[in-house]
PDB file of all heavy atoms in Angstrom:
ATOM      1  N   GLU A 125      27.312   6.069 -15.843  1.00 97.00           N
ATOM      2  CA  GLU A 125      28.527   5.431 -16.347  1.00 97.00           C
ATOM      3  C   GLU A 125      28.290   3.993 -16.637  1.00 97.00           C
ATOM      4  O   GLU A 125      29.066   3.300 -17.449  1.00 97.00           O
ATOM      5  CB  GLU A 125      29.588   5.580 -15.264  1.00 97.00           C
ATOM      6  CG  GLU A 125      30.030   7.036 -14.978  1.00 97.00           C
ATOM      7  CD  GLU A 125      30.940   7.111 -13.731  1.00 97.00           C
ATOM      8  OE1 GLU A 125      32.145   6.877 -13.943  1.00 97.00           O
ATOM      9  OE2 GLU A 125      30.408   7.361 -12.637  1.00 97.00           O
ATOM     10  N   SER A 126      27.343   3.300 -16.041  1.00 97.00           N
ATOM     11  CA  SER A 126      27.058   1.929 -16.300  1.00 97.00           C
ATOM     12  C   SER A 126      26.587   1.608 -17.680  1.00 97.00           C
ATOM     13  O   SER A 126      26.658   0.473 -18.119  1.00 97.00           O
ATOM     14  CB  SER A 126      26.071   1.387 -15.264  1.00 97.00           C
ATOM     15  OG  SER A 126      26.541   1.419 -13.993  1.00 97.00           O
ATOM     16  N   PHE A 127      26.147   2.692 -18.382  1.00 97.00           N
ATOM     17  CA  PHE A 127      25.622   2.520 -19.761  1.00 97.00           C
ATOM     18  C   PHE A 127      26.479   3.177 -20.871  1.00 97.00           C
ATOM     19  O   PHE A 127      26.000   3.445 -21.864  1.00 97.00           O
ATOM     20  CB  PHE A 127      24.201   3.017 -19.773  1.00 97.00           C
ATOM     21  CG  PHE A 127      23.320   2.477 -18.726  1.00 97.00           C
ATOM     22  CD1 PHE A 127      22.673   3.322 -17.859  1.00 97.00           C
ATOM     23  CD2 PHE A 127      23.214   1.099 -18.505  1.00 97.00           C
ATOM     24  CE1 PHE A 127      21.883   2.866 -16.744  1.00 97.00           C
ATOM     25  CE2 PHE A 127      22.451   0.603 -17.429  1.00 97.00           C
ATOM     26  CZ  PHE A 127      21.745   1.513 -16.636  1.00 97.00           C
ATOM     27  N   ASN A 128      27.758   3.314 -20.560  1.00 97.00           N
ATOM     28  CA  ASN A 128      28.658   3.906 -21.572  1.00 97.00           C
ATOM     29  C   ASN A 128      28.849   2.853 -22.652  1.00 97.00           C
ATOM     30  O   ASN A 128      28.813   1.624 -22.328  1.00 97.00           O
ATOM     31  CB  ASN A 128      29.961   4.396 -21.002  1.00 97.00           C
ATOM     32  CG  ASN A 128      30.951   3.303 -20.668  1.00 97.00           C
ATOM     33  OD1 ASN A 128      31.621   2.768 -21.579  1.00 97.00           O
ATOM     34  ND2 ASN A 128      30.915   2.814 -19.377  1.00 97.00           N
ATOM     35  N   ASP A 129      29.164   3.276 -23.837  1.00 96.00           N
ATOM     36  CA  ASP A 129      29.318   2.252 -24.951  1.00 96.00           C
ATOM     37  C   ASP A 129      30.722   2.275 -25.509  1.00 96.00           C
ATOM     38  O   ASP A 129      31.009   1.820 -26.686  1.00 96.00           O
ATOM     39  CB  ASP A 129      28.327   2.570 -26.076  1.00 96.00           C
ATOM     40  CG  ASP A 129      28.676   3.864 -26.782  1.00 96.00           C
ATOM     41  OD1 ASP A 129      29.493   4.750 -26.243  1.00 96.00           O
ATOM     42  OD2 ASP A 129      28.061   4.139 -27.856  1.00 96.00           O
ATOM     43  N   GLU A 130      31.705   2.612 -24.655  1.00 95.00           N
ATOM     44  CA  GLU A 130      33.089   2.655 -25.138  1.00 95.00           C
ATOM     45  C   GLU A 130      33.553   1.253 -25.606  1.00 95.00           C
ATOM     46  O   GLU A 130      33.365   0.224 -24.888  1.00 95.00           O
ATOM     47  CB  GLU A 130      34.057   3.126 -23.937  1.00 95.00           C
ATOM     48  CG  GLU A 130      35.543   3.235 -24.439  1.00 95.00           C
ATOM     49  CD  GLU A 130      36.365   3.719 -23.230  1.00 95.00           C
ATOM     50  OE1 GLU A 130      35.820   4.104 -22.227  1.00 95.00           O
ATOM     51  OE2 GLU A 130      37.585   3.698 -23.440  1.00 95.00           O
ATOM     52  N   GLY A 131      34.034   1.192 -26.818  1.00 93.00           N
ATOM     53  CA  GLY A 131      34.563  -0.047 -27.455  1.00 93.00           C
ATOM     54  C   GLY A 131      33.454  -0.950 -27.926  1.00 93.00           C
ATOM     55  O   GLY A 131      33.824  -2.072 -28.433  1.00 93.00           O
ATOM     56  N   MET A 132      32.247  -0.580 -27.873  1.00 95.00           N
ATOM     57  CA  MET A 132      31.102  -1.437 -28.353  1.00 95.00           C
ATOM     58  C   MET A 132      30.831  -1.276 -29.762  1.00 95.00           C
ATOM     59  O   MET A 132      30.905  -0.102 -30.278  1.00 95.00           O
ATOM     60  CB  MET A 132      29.877  -1.267 -27.512  1.00 95.00           C
ATOM     61  CG  MET A 132      29.959  -1.631 -26.064  1.00 95.00           C
ATOM     62  SD  MET A 132      28.468  -1.677 -25.159  1.00 95.00           S
ATOM     63  CE  MET A 132      27.656  -3.083 -25.889  1.00 95.00           C
ATOM     64  N   SER A 133      30.581  -2.352 -30.504  1.00 94.00           N
ATOM     65  CA  SER A 133      30.261  -2.245 -31.949  1.00 94.00           C
ATOM     66  C   SER A 133      28.885  -1.760 -32.084  1.00 94.00           C
ATOM     67  O   SER A 133      28.078  -1.724 -31.159  1.00 94.00           O
ATOM     68  CB  SER A 133      30.469  -3.639 -32.601  1.00 94.00           C
ATOM     69  OG  SER A 133      29.568  -4.549 -31.993  1.00 94.00           O
ATOM     70  N   PRO A 134      28.494  -1.414 -33.353  1.00 95.00           N
ATOM     71  CA  PRO A 134      27.041  -1.056 -33.618  1.00 95.00           C
ATOM     72  C   PRO A 134      26.079  -2.164 -33.222  1.00 95.00           C
ATOM     73  O   PRO A 134      26.509  -3.380 -33.156  1.00 95.00           O
ATOM     74  CB  PRO A 134      27.058  -0.726 -35.138  1.00 95.00           C
ATOM     75  CG  PRO A 134      28.494  -0.432 -35.444  1.00 95.00           C
ATOM     76  CD  PRO A 134      29.341  -1.257 -34.535  1.00 95.00           C
ATOM     77  N   PRO A 135      24.743  -1.860 -33.105  1.00 95.00           N
ATOM     78  CA  PRO A 135      23.787  -2.919 -32.710  1.00 95.00           C
ATOM     79  C   PRO A 135      23.745  -3.999 -33.760  1.00 95.00           C
ATOM     80  O   PRO A 135      24.114  -3.798 -34.906  1.00 95.00           O
ATOM     81  CB  PRO A 135      22.515  -2.161 -32.658  1.00 95.00           C
ATOM     82  CG  PRO A 135      22.895  -0.727 -32.419  1.00 95.00           C
ATOM     83  CD  PRO A 135      24.196  -0.587 -33.128  1.00 95.00           C
ATOM     84  N   PRO A 136      23.355  -5.218 -33.318  1.00 95.00           N
ATOM     85  CA  PRO A 136      23.256  -6.339 -34.282  1.00 95.00           C
ATOM     86  C   PRO A 136      22.269  -6.049 -35.414  1.00 95.00           C
ATOM     87  O   PRO A 136      21.291  -5.240 -35.242  1.00 95.00           O
ATOM     88  CB  PRO A 136      22.777  -7.496 -33.392  1.00 95.00           C
ATOM     89  CG  PRO A 136      22.207  -6.878 -32.167  1.00 95.00           C
ATOM     90  CD  PRO A 136      22.998  -5.669 -32.003  1.00 95.00           C
ATOM     91  N   ALA A 137      22.468  -6.665 -36.580  1.00 94.00           N
ATOM     92  CA  ALA A 137      21.689  -6.390 -37.713  1.00 94.00           C
ATOM     93  C   ALA A 137      20.217  -6.697 -37.624  1.00 94.00           C
ATOM     94  O   ALA A 137      19.373  -6.053 -38.209  1.00 94.00           O
ATOM     95  CB  ALA A 137      22.258  -7.097 -38.965  1.00 94.00           C
ATOM     96  N   LYS A 138      19.995  -7.655 -36.654  1.00 94.00           N
ATOM     97  CA  LYS A 138      18.551  -8.069 -36.470  1.00 94.00           C
ATOM     98  C   LYS A 138      17.731  -7.020 -35.774  1.00 94.00           C
ATOM     99  O   LYS A 138      16.458  -7.074 -35.784  1.00 94.00           O
ATOM    100  CB  LYS A 138      18.566  -9.304 -35.578  1.00 94.00           C
ATOM    101  CG  LYS A 138      19.023  -9.062 -34.213  1.00 94.00           C
ATOM    102  CD  LYS A 138      19.072 -10.320 -33.316  1.00 94.00           C
ATOM    103  CE  LYS A 138      19.527  -9.976 -31.840  1.00 94.00           C
ATOM    104  NZ  LYS A 138      19.585 -11.190 -31.017  1.00 94.00           N
ATOM    105  N   TRP A 139      18.344  -5.978 -35.206  1.00 96.00           N
ATOM    106  CA  TRP A 139      17.646  -5.052 -34.293  1.00 96.00           C
ATOM    107  C   TRP A 139      16.768  -4.120 -35.160  1.00 96.00           C
ATOM    108  O   TRP A 139      17.138  -3.524 -36.065  1.00 96.00           O
ATOM    109  CB  TRP A 139      18.631  -4.244 -33.476  1.00 96.00           C
ATOM    110  CG  TRP A 139      17.991  -3.261 -32.534  1.00 96.00           C
ATOM    111  CD1 TRP A 139      18.035  -1.974 -32.510  1.00 96.00           C
ATOM    112  CD2 TRP A 139      17.057  -3.675 -31.438  1.00 96.00           C
ATOM    113  NE1 TRP A 139      17.264  -1.402 -31.509  1.00 96.00           N
ATOM    114  CE2 TRP A 139      16.630  -2.466 -30.832  1.00 96.00           C
ATOM    115  CE3 TRP A 139      16.635  -4.863 -30.920  1.00 96.00           C
ATOM    116  CZ2 TRP A 139      15.807  -2.462 -29.657  1.00 96.00           C
ATOM    117  CZ3 TRP A 139      15.832  -4.887 -29.844  1.00 96.00           C
ATOM    118  CH2 TRP A 139      15.370  -3.617 -29.263  1.00 96.00           C
ATOM    119  N   LYS A 140      15.513  -3.977 -34.663  1.00 95.00           N
ATOM    120  CA  LYS A 140      14.531  -3.132 -35.334  1.00 95.00           C
ATOM    121  C   LYS A 140      13.902  -2.119 -34.415  1.00 95.00           C
ATOM    122  O   LYS A 140      12.940  -1.411 -34.726  1.00 95.00           O
ATOM    123  CB  LYS A 140      13.386  -3.970 -35.957  1.00 95.00           C
ATOM    124  CG  LYS A 140      13.846  -5.009 -36.925  1.00 95.00           C
ATOM    125  CD  LYS A 140      12.625  -5.873 -37.440  1.00 95.00           C
ATOM    126  CE  LYS A 140      13.072  -6.850 -38.481  1.00 95.00           C
ATOM    127  NZ  LYS A 140      13.948  -7.867 -37.822  1.00 95.00           N
ATOM    128  N   GLY A 141      14.542  -1.923 -33.252  1.00 95.00           N
ATOM    129  CA  GLY A 141      13.899  -0.995 -32.249  1.00 95.00           C
ATOM    130  C   GLY A 141      14.259   0.462 -32.543  1.00 95.00           C
ATOM    131  O   GLY A 141      14.917   0.818 -33.400  1.00 95.00           O
ATOM    132  N   LYS A 142      13.630   1.293 -31.650  1.00 95.00           N
ATOM    133  CA  LYS A 142      13.743   2.754 -31.784  1.00 95.00           C
ATOM    134  C   LYS A 142      13.969   3.362 -30.449  1.00 95.00           C
ATOM    135  O   LYS A 142      13.805   2.731 -29.366  1.00 95.00           O
ATOM    136  CB  LYS A 142      12.478   3.349 -32.351  1.00 95.00           C
ATOM    137  CG  LYS A 142      12.073   2.859 -33.776  1.00 95.00           C
ATOM    138  CD  LYS A 142      10.787   3.425 -34.237  1.00 95.00           C
ATOM    139  CE  LYS A 142      10.419   3.030 -35.651  1.00 95.00           C
ATOM    140  NZ  LYS A 142       9.113   3.605 -36.125  1.00 95.00           N
ATOM    141  N   CYS A 143      14.459   4.632 -30.472  1.00 95.00           N
ATOM    142  CA  CYS A 143      14.670   5.335 -29.271  1.00 95.00           C
ATOM    143  C   CYS A 143      13.750   6.714 -29.325  1.00 95.00           C
ATOM    144  O   CYS A 143      13.775   7.381 -30.282  1.00 95.00           O
ATOM    145  CB  CYS A 143      16.126   5.839 -29.196  1.00 95.00           C
ATOM    146  SG  CYS A 143      17.218   4.447 -28.817  1.00 95.00           S
ATOM    147  N   HIS A 144      13.010   6.880 -28.256  1.00 95.00           N
ATOM    148  CA  HIS A 144      12.024   8.002 -28.189  1.00 95.00           C
ATOM    149  C   HIS A 144      12.496   8.949 -27.120  1.00 95.00           C
ATOM    150  O   HIS A 144      12.538   8.610 -25.976  1.00 95.00           O
ATOM    151  CB  HIS A 144      10.657   7.484 -27.986  1.00 95.00           C
ATOM    152  CG  HIS A 144      10.040   6.714 -29.135  1.00 95.00           C
ATOM    153  ND1 HIS A 144       9.011   5.807 -28.921  1.00 95.00           N
ATOM    154  CD2 HIS A 144      10.411   6.701 -30.395  1.00 95.00           C
ATOM    155  CE1 HIS A 144       8.758   5.258 -30.138  1.00 95.00           C
ATOM    156  NE2 HIS A 144       9.495   5.789 -31.013  1.00 95.00           N
ATOM    157  N   ASN A 145      12.732  10.259 -27.447  1.00 93.00           N
ATOM    158  CA  ASN A 145      12.938  11.288 -26.474  1.00 93.00           C
ATOM    159  C   ASN A 145      14.222  11.118 -25.613  1.00 93.00           C
ATOM    160  O   ASN A 145      14.304  11.852 -24.662  1.00 93.00           O
ATOM    161  CB  ASN A 145      11.740  11.488 -25.645  1.00 93.00           C
ATOM    162  CG  ASN A 145      10.587  11.979 -26.489  1.00 93.00           C
ATOM    163  OD1 ASN A 145      10.586  12.156 -27.641  1.00 93.00           O
ATOM    164  ND2 ASN A 145       9.474  12.339 -25.765  1.00 93.00           N
ATOM    165  N   ILE A 146      15.078  10.242 -25.868  1.00 94.00           N
ATOM    166  CA  ILE A 146      16.388  10.147 -25.213  1.00 94.00           C
ATOM    167  C   ILE A 146      17.432   9.729 -26.291  1.00 94.00           C
ATOM    168  O   ILE A 146      17.049   9.228 -27.335  1.00 94.00           O
ATOM    169  CB  ILE A 146      16.466   9.182 -24.056  1.00 94.00           C
ATOM    170  CG1 ILE A 146      16.355   7.796 -24.450  1.00 94.00           C
ATOM    171  CG2 ILE A 146      15.517   9.556 -22.992  1.00 94.00           C
ATOM    172  CD1 ILE A 146      16.724   6.814 -23.364  1.00 94.00           C
ATOM    173  N   THR A 147      18.705  10.056 -26.084  1.00 93.00           N
ATOM    174  CA  THR A 147      19.776   9.698 -27.014  1.00 93.00           C
ATOM    175  C   THR A 147      20.301   8.327 -26.661  1.00 93.00           C
ATOM    176  O   THR A 147      20.763   8.112 -25.505  1.00 93.00           O
ATOM    177  CB  THR A 147      20.897  10.750 -26.937  1.00 93.00           C
ATOM    178  OG1 THR A 147      20.326  12.019 -27.216  1.00 93.00           O
ATOM    179  CG2 THR A 147      22.027  10.315 -27.850  1.00 93.00           C
ATOM    180  N   CYS A 148      20.207   7.423 -27.570  1.00 95.00           N
ATOM    181  CA  CYS A 148      20.735   6.080 -27.360  1.00 95.00           C
ATOM    182  C   CYS A 148      22.215   5.949 -27.833  1.00 95.00           C
ATOM    183  O   CYS A 148      22.724   6.950 -28.354  1.00 95.00           O
ATOM    184  CB  CYS A 148      19.910   5.063 -28.145  1.00 95.00           C
ATOM    185  SG  CYS A 148      18.288   4.739 -27.355  1.00 95.00           S
TER     186      CYS A 148
END
Side-chain angles (χ1 to χ4, degrees):
E125 297 172 81
S126 293
F127 309 124
N128 79 82
D129 66 348
E130 183 179 353
M132 296 189 70
S133 62
K138 66 180 180 181
W139 181 244
K140 301 180 180 65
K142 298 180 179 179
C143 292
H144 294 157
N145 292 4
I146 67 170
T147 301
C148 287

